[in-house]
Amino acid sequence: MALHVKKGGTMPGTRRDRFHTAGVLGIPAGRDPRRFAIQAVVLALFPIFAMPSWSGCAGTSSARADLETARQNYLAGNYREALAEATKETDGATRQVEWWRLRLECEWTLGEYEASLETLDTAITRLNGDLRLRLRSHHMYKDVGKARASQTALEDIDRLVRRTPWRYSSAEDLVALGETALAMGGDARQVLEFFFDRAREREPDNLAAHLASGELALEKGDFAEAARVFEQAAEKFPDHPTILFGLARSHAESDWPRAQAQLQNVLEANPRHAGALLLLADRQIDAEQYASAETLLAEVLETNPRHPVAWAYRSVIAYLQGDFKNALQFQNQAGEPLPGDPQTWHILGRELSQHYRFAEGAEYQRRALKVDPMFLPAKLQLAQDLLRLGEETEGWQLANEVQNADGYNVLAFNLATLEETVSRFRTMQDGDFIVRMDAVEAERYGKAVLELLHRAKETLCPRYEVTLQEPVIVEIFPAQPDFAVRTFGMPGGEGFLAVCFGKVITANSPASQRSSPANWQATLWHEFCHVVTLDKTRNRMPRWLSEGISVYEERQAHLAWGQGMTPRYRQMILEGELTPVGKLSEAFLSPPSPVHLQFAYYQSSLVVEFIVQEYGQKSLLRTLMALGAGVPMNEALERHVAPLHVLEQDFEEFARLEAEALAPFADWSPPLQVEGQPLPDPEEWLPSHPRGVWGLSLQLQRLVEQENWEEALLVAEWLCDLVPPSARDAAIFQHTARVYQELDMPDAERHILEEWATADAAALPAYERLMQIAEEREDWEMASKNAERFLAVNPLAALPHRVLARASQELERPWQAISAHEALLTFEPADQAQVHFRLAELLHTRGTQADVAVLHQEAKRHLLLALEQAPRYQEALEMLLKIQTVSASEAEQNDLTPEETTDSEAQAPEASREEETHATP
């Protein structure tokens, strides 16, 4: 995963764009109205439902107080106490449904599923007309695998409402009716409007109405709307654990620190809250802190020893640690108590997919769909898994099925929209790669993408002893929201340049990063390295090692690629901010700032560099092979590198020495700032800090602004002596180059610009100025080199294509010149006629005896286009006449028309282009 955090940017989050990010909108067409009896009855009898409602707990004030005490015990996690009170009441003659519901929930929460079913049967017998009991029976019967009884419960609700609709006008009844309508396939928008919203209007303090609206938003993936609903509810129920848990889930995807704080509030209210404990365990698993996750799961199982989701998470942990025997045992324990609940298998598969085990995750989603073919979360997750595995036909089909079944599911809508976009891409493929990208972008740099990928394969596959069995799919998106949906399922993730799923790479094109461009060649090299290492480990490697190897291999490929030591990283290392190697995955999970996330990438690459330097490439390969066999990360390091405590200690020393070696004579300390006071003036600060980079940089900037070139020269050269190119800020390069230019020091200017271009993989101003200098000097090697550098960052600008076209022609590299001219034409330049003519010249002079006719025909086409632009273009007319004469002569010799001659020839062989090989800088 290539990361790019822009200056002043934020952590990846959610953005609203042309994709759904909020709101259950519109009404799906083509639904069978007979499936919505509940909805139809409610709409028909709405005047009855609009009548005033008298609801509440019947009985004496003492009875109500006893019930409230029992409820508070349940909410606080005192389930046994609450169950004892509820059992006492229900074993008597009470007909208060609230006691029965409380008893049911206590037994279910404690894992006493069989007893809860018996309680349910008794309750329905005594309280035959209660909708909430009937709805609960639907869910309970479904979970235990009694599908017919579950369906009968919905039919019973339908019958009760049709018979006596006036009995069901309370807010809680409206909520129950809405949930029933959803269970029967009702329209979410209408359910929200005619049930949940009406319930909240009727009883603003009704808890069930708020919960139902929030849960519906969460189910549809509309986290912003869910947060809004739960925040409103929290104003009325500030300490209610269920409301707090809804808030935490609403924020978990976009703001984990906030969600974590809300989860702590949940656990303060109820230390045994299973949902909160499971969500925390989920995050611990993501951070590879399996012992901490097991502790949390043990707390859940202490309350309910049969909790299916807790056992599913235990199975995931065992699987990720290579303990496949226990993984299977825990999986069986997860599926045993509630065989009709697909949620268990869905969660198990989803967690494996989050750890890049997409094939295994997909199998569990299929298992969930066997339990319930209409369980849309599993179908949608399966669609995503298949798309990430490159099985696109079935993946898109499943996504569309979910969209058709649920028109308000945000992720399904986004994927359906994305499929239309991807279908318009141009596809370029050979035996090794399938590249999809915008058609115009493909014309401009599509060939360069394939060439870069082949170079990466030729370099990295032998190094890691990998043979890829299938083509790698690369999709490049000109619009960042499209990339985000393809990659994450939702708009957002603005900080990410590209992501690799194994054999599928998704990437942002340069078109999406105009304000802060990155080197797309470095990005694709990084991602292809992921393809290699994920294949090597069968997708069984932690994120830190995968990212570390990719960043390390960027640096091996090119000095300016990847991340290097910076003044900020130096400071973080020397101030003790290194993460222990055994916990490096945590650094990626919830970094406090974008800089900390970037530092996690850099530190991971430094660990890889240390392992290769100290223990050799073979140690790294053996570690990867062990991971592929299912050995846990830290154990693999212990076996093939060094004991973990030794590795961590030695690496810390290695990193410290690397940090201290960065400009050792420079003073990197910032000035002390007194609170409420401005920073000191550089001229006042520098006498006591003559090597202070902060002060010298500001002084240089000030002198350049004042056009005091002589003094600026002294400061610039002093700065460059103190700070090596790899550690210089772009402003130092830019100001120094400007000083040299103003003082007419062309060699010095060229030297500083070359240092900048060598140190920075995205130094567009340096590349552009070097191209200008090269053209002035007619130094075509230099012009070609910097045009290619520019194109590695922004191939969507005309200038570098124009410079490369001229330089290649001057250097007699015709195939490179042809490609550059063809790309230049996509910009519709003002001198189109001249570009067409030059292209015709190049084509006319190329080709072997076998392909000369085809090339001449292509040259003729460009000459005609040139003449279309400039009818009196004399040179074009003369060349056209020459080609026509040659074609007529050849046709006469072969007794064919010129057109027949052209049609009979084969296409110009691409192999002839291989005579020109140029390394990309």
Side-chain angles (χ1 to χ4, degrees):
M1 183 180 296
L3 178 73
H4 182 50
V5 181
K6 302 176 182 178
K7 263 190 177 177
T10 59
M11 293 294 292
T14 313
R15 61 175 286 185
R16 297 173 186 269
D17 217 296
R18 64 189 178 85
F19 295 102
H20 273 334
T21 54
V24 278
L25 306 173
I27 300 176
R31 300 292 187 89
D32 182 354
R34 291 173 296 178
R35 295 182 59 200
F36 309 108
I38 295 294
Q39 231 171 293
V41 170
V42 171
L43 295 176
L45 301 175
F46 187 75
I48 297 174
F49 288 142
M51 293 170 59
S53 165
W54 304 98
S55 62
C57 175
T60 65
S61 58
S62 175
R64 288 196 295 271
D66 290 344
L67 178 59
E68 185 57 29
T69 299
R71 280 174 171 166
Q72 291 306 316
N73 269 327
Y74 178 84
L75 292 175
N78 301 321
Y79 304 122
R80 289 291 174 193
E81 292 86 338
L83 177 59
E85 294 165 14
T87 301
K88 176 183 175 182
E89 292 294 330
T90 53
D91 282 349
T94 184
R95 293 183 60 83
Q96 289 180 237
V97 69
E98 287 80 3
W99 281 113
W100 289 99
R101 292 172 64 198
L102 180 60
R103 179 173 175 178
L104 283 171
E105 294 309 319
C106 287
E107 290 171 338
W108 199 264
T109 300
L110 292 167
E112 298 174 5
Y113 303 118
E114 295 79 8
S116 191
L117 287 170
E118 292 178 8
T119 300
L120 175 67
D121 291 340
T122 304
I124 289 178
T125 301
R126 292 193 187 183
L127 301 160
N128 186 51
D130 189 83
L131 297 187
R132 291 158 290 176
L133 283 177
R134 295 282 184 178
L135 181 60
R136 189 72 184 96
S137 71
H138 160 69
H139 293 298
M140 290 171 63
Y141 286 137
K142 184 176 181 181
D143 287 348
V144 298
K146 296 183 177 182
R148 182 66 197 121
S150 174
Q151 181 61 32
T152 299
L154 294 179
E155 294 167 0
D156 288 343
I157 295 174
D158 186 34
R159 176 178 48 79
L160 289 170
V161 174
R162 286 180 180 278
R163 182 184 301 167
T164 54
W166 55 85
R167 294 181 56 188
Y168 307 110
S169 57
S170 72
E172 290 217 3
D173 283 331
L174 284 175
V175 171
L177 288 168
E179 291 178 345
T180 302
L182 289 173
M184 297 174 73
D187 183 275
R189 174 60 180 267
Q190 292 192 5
V191 168
L192 186 65
E193 181 179 350
F194 290 108
F195 294 100
F196 300 160
D197 287 351
R198 296 290 181 185
R200 284 194 290 172
E201 289 171 8
R202 171 162 295 178
E203 296 180 30
D205 292 336
N206 184 273
L207 175 64
H210 290 282
L211 288 176
S213 297
E215 289 295 332
L216 180 59
L218 285 174
E219 180 187 331
K220 303 303 178 187
D222 188 349
F223 301 112
E225 174 64 12
R228 186 188 68 80
V229 172
F230 283 120
E231 282 165 2
Q232 289 180 352
E235 294 175 4
K236 301 178 182 296
F237 310 97
D239 300 318
H240 198 289
T242 310
I243 296 294
L244 295 173
F245 183 54
L247 268 175
R249 286 184 292 158
S250 302
H251 295 131
E253 295 296 323
S254 59
D255 189 351
W256 175 247
R258 185 177 181 184
Q260 194 171 23
Q262 289 160 344
L263 289 173
Q264 293 306 318
N265 292 335
V266 174
L267 293 174
E268 286 176 13
N270 179 358
R272 299 181 181 85
H273 194 285
L277 293 168
L278 290 169
L279 187 50
L280 288 170
D282 182 286
R283 297 293 289 198
Q284 292 298 306
I285 293 171
D286 288 345
E288 296 166 27
Q289 297 304 302
Y290 302 129
S292 299
E294 287 281 14
T295 300
L296 292 164
L297 296 174
E299 293 183 46
V300 176
L301 293 169
E302 184 178 353
T303 299
N304 178 359
R306 305 170 69 192
H307 199 294
V309 177
W311 284 110
Y313 275 119
R314 290 204 69 191
S315 179
V316 169
I317 292 172
Y319 186 93
L320 295 177
Q321 292 185 306
D323 185 357
F324 302 117
K325 180 179 178 181
N326 273 328
L328 181 60
Q329 178 186 332
F330 296 156
Q331 171 188 310
N332 292 336
Q333 288 180 268
E336 177 269 327
L338 302 177
D341 184 6
Q343 188 78 15
T344 302
W345 307 115
H346 168 60
I347 290 174
L348 208 161
R350 184 193 67 197
E351 290 304 306
L352 289 174
S353 294
Q354 285 176 356
H355 289 80
Y356 279 51
R357 273 67 160 185
F358 301 114
E360 297 94 325
E363 288 306 310
Y364 283 110
Q365 301 308 333
R366 293 189 191 281
R367 191 162 181 176
L369 290 170
K370 283 184 179 178
V371 174
D372 182 357
M374 295 305 297
F375 187 61
L376 297 185
K379 184 174 286 191
L380 192 54
Q381 182 65 48
L382 177 58
Q384 288 185 283
D385 287 342
L386 294 175
L387 290 173
R388 289 163 179 168
L389 289 166
E391 299 176 27
E392 294 162 334
T393 302
E394 186 181 2
W396 290 124
Q397 179 184 337
L398 289 169
N400 283 312
E401 286 179 14
V402 176
Q403 164 70 1
N404 292 333
D406 182 358
Y408 312 118
N409 186 289
V410 174
L411 176 54
F413 175 86
N414 290 343
L415 287 174
T417 303
L418 178 66
E419 184 187 10
E420 296 177 16
T421 301
V422 174
S423 69
R424 294 192 292 269
F425 280 3
R426 177 174 296 178
T427 299
M428 302 174 294
Q429 66 184 85
D430 53 30
D432 297 323
F433 297 99
I434 300 171
V435 177
R436 300 190 184 101
M437 57 196 301
D438 174 78
V440 174
E441 292 195 9
E443 291 286 342
R444 293 175 180 174
Y445 69 106
K447 294 175 184 175
V449 168
L450 281 169
E451 289 169 5
L452 183 281
L453 290 168
H454 278 287
R455 284 206 308 277
K457 182 176 183 180
E458 290 163 7
T459 302
L460 296 172
C461 285
R463 184 173 298 167
Y464 288 90
E465 301 175 1
V466 166
T467 301
L468 298 176
Q469 302 298 325
E470 298 178 86
V472 175
I473 298 170
V474 180
E475 294 178 349
I476 302 175
F477 296 90
Q480 194 278 337
D482 290 331
F483 161 78
V485 169
R486 178 66 170 93
T487 305
F488 309 114
M490 296 284 286
E494 284 82 357
F496 292 92
L497 291 172
V499 172
C500 172
F501 297 109
K503 59 173 281 188
V504 176
I505 295 171
T506 59
N508 279 296
S509 94
S512 67
Q513 354 160 2
R514 292 190 182 277
S515 61
S516 184
N519 189 301
W520 66 262
Q521 293 189 354
T523 298
L524 289 185
W525 193 280
H526 177 110
E527 297 305 326
F528 184 78
C529 187
H530 282 313
V531 172
V532 173
T533 54
L534 288 172
D535 185 88
K536 182 76 174 178
T537 60
R538 299 168 64 191
N539 281 38
R540 296 172 180 171
M541 64 189 307
R543 182 176 175 185
W544 78 261
L545 183 59
S546 183
E547 299 295 355
I549 292 176
S550 284
V551 175
Y552 168 75
E553 287 296 348
E554 282 187 75
R555 290 201 297 268
Q556 300 308 299
H558 196 293
L559 288 175
W561 289 3
Q563 295 192 64
M565 183 71 72
T566 66
R568 181 71 177 97
Y569 293 167
R570 175 187 181 276
Q571 178 187 0
M572 294 174 77
I573 291 171
L574 296 180
E575 291 181 357
E577 293 191 49
L578 286 171
T579 302
V581 174
K583 297 183 177 181
L584 251 178
S585 287
E586 284 187 56
F588 290 88
L589 194 60
S590 298
S593 74
V595 171
H596 285 81
L597 181 57
Q598 288 179 299
F599 182 64
Y601 279 79
Y602 174 67
Q603 183 189 336
S604 298
S605 74
L606 208 57
V607 173
V608 173
E609 183 176 326
F610 174 70
I611 290 173
V612 173
Q613 283 188 16
E614 295 297 314
Y615 301 96
Q617 179 77 10
K618 287 295 183 184
S619 290
L620 180 61
L621 291 179
R622 285 193 289 268
T623 300
L624 295 177
M625 291 173 67
L627 291 172
V631 178
M633 179 72 250
N634 291 345
E635 186 179 333
L637 290 173
E638 297 257 2
R639 288 187 190 180
H640 302 293
V641 179
L644 190 59
H645 71 280
V646 173
L647 175 62
E648 290 180 337
Q649 181 179 329
D650 291 350
F651 168 71
E652 189 172 339
E653 177 65 14
F654 169 78
R656 184 184 63 78
L657 292 174
E658 289 285 313
E660 290 175 345
L662 182 72
F665 300 110
D667 179 359
W668 293 103
S669 59
L672 295 174
Q673 184 176 13
V674 180
E675 188 175 352
Q677 298 294 321
L679 287 168
D681 187 281
E683 291 186 6
E684 298 175 359
W685 185 79
L686 278 170
S688 58
H689 301 79
R691 300 173 185 272
V693 176
W694 175 83
L696 289 168
S697 299
L698 284 180
Q699 188 181 39
L700 176 59
Q701 178 182 338
R702 182 177 297 177
L703 291 169
V704 169
E705 290 169 353
Q706 295 170 354
E707 299 185 0
N708 187 345
W709 307 118
E710 297 294 341
E711 287 191 33
L713 176 63
L714 297 175
V715 175
E717 293 190 336
W718 177 228
L719 254 178
C720 290
D721 285 343
L722 285 173
V723 183
S726 63
R728 288 179 204 158
D729 185 86
I732 296 176
F733 285 116
Q734 205 155 13
H735 293 324
T736 304
R738 173 83 185 282
V739 170
Y740 287 139
Q741 186 178 4
E742 294 294 339
L743 292 175
D744 194 21
M745 301 171 67
D747 290 339
E749 182 194 4
R750 176 176 174 175
H751 177 73
I752 194 70
L753 289 170
E754 184 60 35
E755 282 191 334
W756 187 7
T758 303
D760 186 347
L764 290 179
Y767 309 151
E768 185 170 353
R769 177 62 180 147
L770 285 168
M771 285 190 294
Q772 182 183 355
I773 293 171
E775 286 191 300
E776 290 170 357
R777 296 185 177 190
E778 296 188 353
D779 184 341
W780 301 116
E781 283 287 0
M782 177 181 170
S784 175
K785 178 180 181 180
N786 285 285
E788 289 183 338
R789 283 171 164 170
F790 197 112
L791 290 169
V793 180
N794 184 10
L796 306 180
L799 175 64
H801 291 287
R802 182 179 294 279
V803 172
L804 185 61
R806 172 75 186 283
S808 301
Q809 200 162 1
E810 294 291 344
L811 293 168
E812 297 184 357
R813 297 170 181 167
W815 288 120
Q816 188 178 51
I818 289 169
S819 294
H821 279 92
E822 288 173 342
L824 186 58
L825 283 171
T826 66
F827 295 93
E828 299 183 357
D831 59 343
Q832 283 187 63
Q834 190 175 18
V835 176
H836 279 298
F837 177 71
R838 286 177 181 166
L839 196 46
E841 278 188 316
L842 289 163
L843 291 164
H844 180 59
T845 58
R846 296 307 299 161
T848 63
Q849 187 66 33
D851 62 20
V852 66
V854 173
L855 291 172
H856 284 186
Q857 185 67 13
E858 186 66 9
K860 178 181 174 181
R861 184 176 72 85
H862 282 288
L863 288 171
L864 291 172
L865 290 169
L867 290 167
E868 182 180 307
Q869 296 287 323
R872 298 185 180 182
Y873 198 154
Q874 186 62 35
E875 291 175 293
L877 284 168
E878 291 173 359
M879 182 177 287
L880 181 61
L881 180 60
K882 181 180 178 181
I883 291 176
Q884 286 285 73
T885 302
V886 170
S887 297
S889 174
E890 290 177 351
E892 186 177 334
Q893 291 175 13
N894 294 283
D895 197 25
L896 294 170
T897 66
E899 291 76 11
E900 289 172 327
T901 302
T902 300
D903 292 342
S904 67
E905 297 290 347
Q907 291 293 319
E910 291 293 324
S912 61
R913 298 186 182 222
E914 295 177 5
E915 64 191 57
E916 299 169 26
T917 57
H918 308 290
T920 302

